[in-house]
Amino acid sequence: MTFGEQPAYLRVASDLREKIANGSLPPHTRLPSQARIREEYGVSDTVALEARKVLMAEGLVEGRSGSGTYVRERPVPRRIARSGYRPPSGANPFRQEQAADGARGTWESSSEQEYASAVVAARLDIEPGERVMRTRYVYRDAGEPMMLSTSWEPLAVTGRTPVMLPEEGPLGGCGVVERMAAIDVVVDNVVEEVGARPGLAEELLALGGVPGHVVMVVERTYYASGRAVETADVVVPADRYRIAYHLPVR
């Protein structure tokens, strides 16, 4: 096999990836051994090993202790809605979807006061060390973890108010816009930045992923007259979900 200018291990990985995609190597099939790859493609053990590492990093195959490397079942990506439209209830898009008949989504949350890190402080435009309310969420679909979210709200805005705890009190769970309106803070803008990175160990543990899996991260910040009143990181496994945006035409 002529490999041209591209590194040999990438060409081997590309050919194996194509076989996985077209069904020549269906899910749960054992990947050719390192010796077989070396023989079939005329490459060294090092190249064969690196090609297998590429496929593992992409989440296409998984190692099973004492058994070998197998093609993973590829889930059909499902949609997670993001929307510029906010209903009167103030519910977030996930909770809008879960209000539909037949929806199976659930979520759990926990809130705790902490000192803002430098990163969170920069996003909220406050001083590092200022007090914030951090709330962590795990969203599930039919019991399967599908999304994580961590939000931070400056206690200079919500402290000693009925909405200090996002999921408790008379407006618990109503969403940032409605909760802030209850304390005369009018949210008029939201910014979301979407990126991708390898999942952190604790994220993949919570989401049921394996080391090396990629996650999508939505960095969201709500503003009221230019002041940040909430910022959050929404983490979604990239192999199982797609983020769909529904934006109003003005």
Side-chain angles (χ1 to χ4, degrees):
M1 178 176 292
T2 301
F3 289 99
E5 296 181 359
Q6 191 178 40
Y9 76 94
L10 291 181
R11 294 294 297 273
V12 173
S14 178
D15 190 67
L16 291 171
R17 186 188 302 113
E18 176 61 26
K19 290 180 178 179
I20 292 172
N22 66 25
S24 299
L25 287 172
H28 311 297
T29 299
R30 185 174 179 177
L31 196 70
S33 66
Q34 189 167 310
R36 178 69 179 273
I37 293 174
R38 182 190 63 213
E39 178 182 345
E40 181 175 346
Y41 293 94
V43 296
S44 67
D45 281 332
T46 299
V47 169
L49 178 60
E50 290 302 314
R52 288 157 64 93
K53 286 182 178 179
V54 168
L55 298 179
M56 293 189 74
E58 293 175 350
L60 296 175
V61 300
E62 61 184 357
R64 299 179 186 174
S65 180
S67 179
T69 304
Y70 291 80
V71 178
R72 294 183 65 243
E73 185 81 45
R74 297 295 289 171
V76 177
R78 304 197 316 249
R79 181 177 62 91
I80 292 179
R82 309 294 297 169
S83 177
Y85 167 71
R86 311 294 293 190
S89 68
N92 65 33
F94 178 83
R95 296 185 188 188
Q96 292 176 40
E97 289 185 339
Q98 298 313 312
D101 291 339
R104 303 170 297 172
T106 60
W107 54 89
E108 56 196 56
S109 65
S110 62
S111 296
E112 185 177 350
Q113 295 186 37
E114 69 177 19
Y115 297 105
S117 67
V119 172
V120 170
R123 286 166 57 171
L124 291 173
D125 196 22
I126 61 177
E127 292 296 321
E130 286 194 32
R131 301 288 290 180
V132 295
M133 183 64 71
R134 182 200 67 213
T135 303
R136 289 177 172 157
Y137 297 85
V138 179
Y139 293 90
R140 303 178 188 277
D141 180 22
E144 174 188 313
M146 59 176 290
M147 181 169 64
L148 306 176
S149 178
T150 304
S151 69
W152 297 268
E153 296 179 353
L155 287 173
V157 175
T158 61
R160 300 180 183 276
T161 74
V163 301
M164 185 173 72
L165 292 169
E167 296 296 321
E168 297 182 23
L171 292 175
C174 285
V176 175
V177 176
E178 187 172 350
R179 289 175 48 248
M180 293 296 168
I183 57 173
D184 297 323
V185 175
V186 179
V187 173
D188 54 19
N189 192 25
V190 59
V191 175
E192 292 194 349
E193 296 183 8
V194 183
R197 58 166 171 76
L200 303 178
E202 57 269 27
E203 293 169 341
L204 295 176
L205 180 64
L207 291 168
V210 298
H213 274 195
V214 173
V215 296
M216 293 177 287
V217 182
V218 181
E219 293 186 4
R220 179 198 69 207
T221 304
Y222 282 100
Y223 294 90
S225 299
R227 181 183 188 181
V229 296
E230 189 255 22
T231 192
D233 286 339
V234 180
V235 179
V236 180
D239 64 332
R240 283 183 273 156
Y241 293 94
R242 296 290 181 267
I243 298 177
Y245 280 85
H246 301 270
L247 304 176
V249 177
R250 303 190 180 210

